[in-house]
Amino acid sequence: MKILIKNADAVLLDEVKRCDILIEDGVISRIGSISCPADRVIEASGKTVIPGIIDMHVHLREPGYEGKEDISSGCRAAVAGGVTQLCCMPNTDPVCDNAVVVNYIVNRAKEEGLCKVRPIGAITRGQKGESLADIGKMADAGAVALSDDGRSVMNSNIMRLAMEYASDFGLKCLCHCEDSALADGGVVNEGYNSTVCGLKGQLRAVEDIMISRDICLAQSLDLPVHICHVSTYSGVQIIRAAKANGVKVTAETCPQYFILTDDIITDFDTATKVNPPVREERDRLAVIEGLKDGTLDCIVTDHAPHAQKDKQVEYNLAAFGISGIETSFALSYTYLVKSGVFTLPQLMRRMSYNPARTLGLEGGQIAEGLPADLAIVDLGAEYVIDSSKFLSKGKNTPFNGYKVSGRVLKTFVDGEIKFDAEEL
Ligand code: DOR
């Protein structure tokens, strides 16, 4: 099977290049000026080809919470967002803390045959923080990392053992940083707006203490660690200093932390409730600086779909989370590239290349010989985000009604078209 994409603006690692891309048997076989017979020729002049997004922080909810999302709906949403590879978090029911659940997810995703799904195994059994999960068996079954996402492993000795044991299998721990005692049920950022609204806040220290603890462990053990969804200016400072000291730390953030501030909580819309919470302007600006100077390596979504009944309750009772996988490219393009912070290649490094490098995954760039995981996008297309049109079951987003640029037109995984906006 040969597909020829003609006259595209292709986003390579350091430049955007007008070229043709030939895909043969699922692989990018040539980039350049190409005329040859092909089974399908796609004229892409005026359009941009980006490397498929690698979203290394996604909740697919299956098994157990299929009312919120399942592997089928989550993967359909992913490819609609230009995502070709995703890593899914283990806070399912049963928890993904053993090889049986890892195998189940891998096999279900293969049956769907949409994007590449890489399970993340739990660090501890049942994510209870008490004893290590079946790390070796999960690694053999295809887990690409470990995390107790949704909570921190509060016992530092267990976290130490996890980092040591994980490294024997070439896996990294992805740390959700939240000191549960200090969080004490807080639902938003602690500050002026939490006081005005009468909502219980979470200090920045809730996050920063655990970022520091996990960095201390990584430094003492000389092992790698990855910090999830960084939201605080002080967390960015801690990670920056650790990197300067040679600690093997990588980190990610999400669109909500570089676009929003906690001014949005004042109308009590539970779509704004997310953990860690959106914070203040100095945090938002520091997150952008962190992305710019490489302190924060990756942009992920923390795609956390919830059913309406989980969100249509009072703020204190609502579930934490934002359904983000269908909007991350357009939001990131609009707020980071159109606003002049990044060039498009710089953005795609953070959405595709760096996640691949962080977890040792395949792909992450448009280059000859690599899997043809890519998306054709129309950067000029402006539209208003309408969550009722999401393919995800989770319609929970604070970005509903936002005007963005950058529409995903087609998504290719291993050279096969898995999403085509024209067919919607
Ligand atoms: O807001 C969040 N929702 N943060 C997390 O860490 C977990 C996630 C979820 O699973 O819903």
Side-chain angles (χ1 to χ4, degrees):
M1 178 75 175
K2 272 192 193 181
I3 301 178
L4 182 58
I5 304 176
K6 291 289 292 177
N7 303 312
D9 287 329
V11 181
L12 308 180
L13 268 189
D14 295 309
E15 58 172 337
V16 179
K17 188 174 167 189
R18 173 71 50 85
C19 59
D20 310 321
I21 300 171
L22 183 64
I23 301 170
E24 283 182 277
D25 300 326
V27 172
I28 300 170
S29 60
R30 267 172 68 200
I31 299 170
S33 178
I34 307 166
S35 33
C36 69
D39 301 295
R40 183 160 179 194
V41 177
I42 298 172
E43 175 53 52
S45 58
K47 307 291 186 295
T48 302
V49 179
I50 57 169
I53 293 166
I54 300 179
D55 190 344
M56 56 179 279
H57 193 140
V58 172
H59 297 270
L60 288 180
R61 304 298 192 203
E62 186 177 344
Y65 300 109
E66 291 83 355
K68 296 173 189 276
E69 190 81 288
D70 56 36
I71 290 171
S72 175
S73 61
C75 290
R76 274 185 282 126
V79 291
V83 173
T84 54
Q85 190 167 195
L86 65 82
C87 305
C88 56
M89 285 295 174
N91 56 342
T92 49
D93 184 14
V95 168
C96 183
D97 61 4
N98 61 75
V100 174
V101 182
V102 173
N103 275 321
Y104 172 82
I105 294 168
V106 168
N107 291 332
R108 276 289 302 113
K110 276 196 187 135
E111 278 166 21
E112 290 303 323
L114 290 167
C115 63
K116 296 170 184 174
V117 172
R118 314 296 188 201
I120 297 168
I123 296 174
T124 63
R125 269 177 220 278
Q127 293 191 284
K128 291 201 172 85
E130 291 161 4
S131 58
L132 293 185
D134 293 345
I135 292 174
K137 288 183 183 150
M138 290 195 291
D140 289 346
V144 295
L146 301 171
S147 181
D148 270 4
D149 188 63
R151 54 181 76 156
S152 278
V153 177
M154 291 306 302
N155 181 319
S156 301
N157 192 41
I158 295 201
M159 194 62 197
R160 172 214 172 135
L161 294 173
M163 283 188 190
E164 289 179 325
Y165 202 50
S167 83
D168 290 344
F169 297 93
L171 299 184
K172 262 184 205 172
C173 290
L174 317 184
C175 302
H176 173 112
C177 293
E178 178 183 353
D179 182 318
S180 53
L182 190 60
D184 194 27
V187 292
V188 291
N189 177 62
E190 181 168 330
Y192 175 82
N193 283 322
S194 65
T195 308
V196 167
C197 293
L199 291 170
K200 186 164 170 50
Q202 279 189 28
L203 281 179
R204 292 183 180 91
V206 166
E207 185 172 340
D208 299 344
I209 286 169
M210 298 314 290
I211 294 178
S212 308
R213 194 273 316 255
D214 290 334
I215 284 175
C216 287
L217 283 173
Q219 185 166 25
S220 294
L221 299 168
D222 195 24
L223 289 174
V225 74
H226 178 82
I227 308 296
C228 291
H229 38 49
V230 176
S231 73
T232 63
Y233 81 86
S234 30
V236 174
Q237 288 173 346
I238 295 163
I239 297 164
R240 182 178 291 127
K243 283 193 170 190
N245 279 330
V247 182
K248 294 171 184 156
V249 56
T250 51
E252 61 181 45
T253 191
C254 316
Q256 53 266 30
Y257 306 118
F258 60 75
I259 298 174
L260 302 176
T261 68
D262 67 355
D263 286 345
I264 55 156
I265 68 169
T266 54
D267 64 2
F268 296 91
D269 178 357
T270 58
T272 64
K273 185 173 172 183
V274 60
N275 199 18
V278 294
R279 303 207 186 252
E280 297 176 354
E281 184 63 1
R282 74 181 295 192
D283 302 282
R284 191 183 78 78
L285 295 175
V287 165
I288 293 175
E289 273 312 305
L291 281 169
K292 267 165 89 172
D293 72 9
T295 301
L296 305 177
D297 305 84
C298 307
I299 296 173
V300 303
T301 60
D302 192 7
H303 176 68
H306 287 290
Q308 278 200 5
K309 69 174 174 54
D310 303 318
K311 285 287 196 180
Q312 284 186 348
V313 290
E314 63 187 86
Y315 207 96
N316 282 321
L317 300 177
F320 287 101
I322 292 173
S323 177
I325 208 159
E326 284 166 84
T327 53
S328 66
F329 176 72
L331 286 170
S332 301
Y333 175 70
T334 305
Y335 285 88
L336 293 178
V337 178
K338 275 195 91 177
S339 66
V341 175
F342 287 138
T343 62
L344 192 51
Q346 287 169 333
L347 176 69
M348 296 321 299
R349 269 186 184 260
R350 287 151 182 82
M351 299 191 82
S352 197
Y353 183 81
N354 291 351
R357 293 302 157 283
T358 300
L359 293 185
L361 305 174
E362 66 178 21
Q365 58 176 309
I366 298 177
E368 290 179 0
L370 290 187
D373 293 347
L374 26 98
I376 303 180
V377 298
D378 182 352
L379 298 177
E382 281 196 348
Y383 63 99
V384 173
I385 293 174
D386 176 357
S387 61
S388 70
K389 301 223 166 76
F390 282 0
L391 300 181
S392 167
K393 291 185 191 178
K395 315 296 179 197
N396 47 300
T397 175
F399 297 111
N400 211 21
Y402 276 52
K403 194 169 173 192
V404 289
S405 298
R407 191 183 279 288
V408 177
L409 300 177
K410 286 184 174 52
T411 303
F412 298 75
V413 180
D414 285 332
E416 287 181 25
I417 297 179
K418 300 296 183 179
F419 170 76
D420 192 339
E422 282 172 22
E423 286 170 12
L424 275 187

